[in-house]
């Protein structure tokens, strides 16, 4: 997986191409991610305390992780606020980090876990 929870990602293919959102959940086994505000589906729900009426609610559905790219937040980057490919960089004595393929700056939005 090239993304982690809380990453800001851009959708690169499908109906929602070009939209960005925050990763809410990662499903490593399914290679899918749940992205805030992306891929809404209508779900039928039974009445509950939270939703006494029941009926239809809009809810995000997971999308394939291959359809998203992490957004680079470096203002000087040619791909500022756009999805970018990342590579892994490891400096001596430091833990691995993901950096933007274009500008080389660390992608720090996400947190592991
Ligand atoms: Zn960049």
């Amino acid at each position: 997986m090239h993304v982690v929870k809380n990453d800001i990602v851009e959708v690169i293919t499908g109906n929602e191409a070009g939209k960005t959102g925050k990763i809410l959940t990662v499903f490593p086994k399914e290679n899918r991610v749940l992205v805030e505000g992306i891929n809404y589906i209508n779900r039928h729900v039974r009445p509950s305390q939270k939703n006494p009426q029941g009926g239809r609610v809009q809810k995000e559905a997971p999308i394939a992780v291959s359809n998203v790219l992490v957004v680079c937040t470096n203002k000087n980057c040619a791909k500022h606020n756009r999805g970018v490919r990342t590579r892994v960089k490891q400096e001596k004595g430091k833990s691995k980090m993901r950096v933007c393929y274009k500008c080389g700056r660390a992608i720090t939005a996400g947190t592991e876990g």
Side-chain angles (χ1 to χ4, degrees):
M1 302 285 276
H2 62 280
V3 294
V4 292
K5 189 178 172 184
N6 292 331
D7 272 349
I8 307 297
V9 293
E10 180 183 1
V11 182
I12 50 168
T13 54
N15 291 340
E16 317 246 19
K19 289 188 188 172
T20 56
K22 186 167 87 174
I23 293 190
L24 301 174
T25 317
V26 175
F27 304 96
K29 273 187 205 159
E30 292 89 357
N31 275 317
R32 285 179 174 270
V33 289
L34 192 64
V35 185
E36 193 171 37
I38 300 293
N39 198 28
Y40 276 110
I41 53 162
N42 285 313
R43 206 167 251 186
H44 298 266
V45 292
R46 280 185 208 164
S48 65
Q49 267 193 338
K50 206 177 151 192
N51 186 355
Q53 293 290 312
R56 295 198 319 179
V57 290
Q58 291 222 302
K59 207 173 181 324
E60 293 101 336
I63 59 172
V65 69
S66 57
N67 291 353
V68 302
L69 286 176
V70 182
V71 165
C72 182
T73 53
N74 180 4
K75 285 196 190 76
N76 300 318
C77 181
K79 292 271 198 177
H80 177 226
N81 276 343
R82 300 297 309 271
V84 289
R85 304 231 167 247
T86 57
R87 57 194 170 84
V88 175
K89 186 178 173 185
Q90 186 163 27
E91 288 171 9
K92 236 184 181 175
K94 285 187 182 173
S95 55
K96 282 182 191 169
M97 59 182 185
R98 294 168 305 157
V99 299
C100 169
Y101 209 91
K102 275 271 173 202
C103 66
R105 203 173 101 149
I107 307 279
T108 51
T111 50
E112 300 282 346

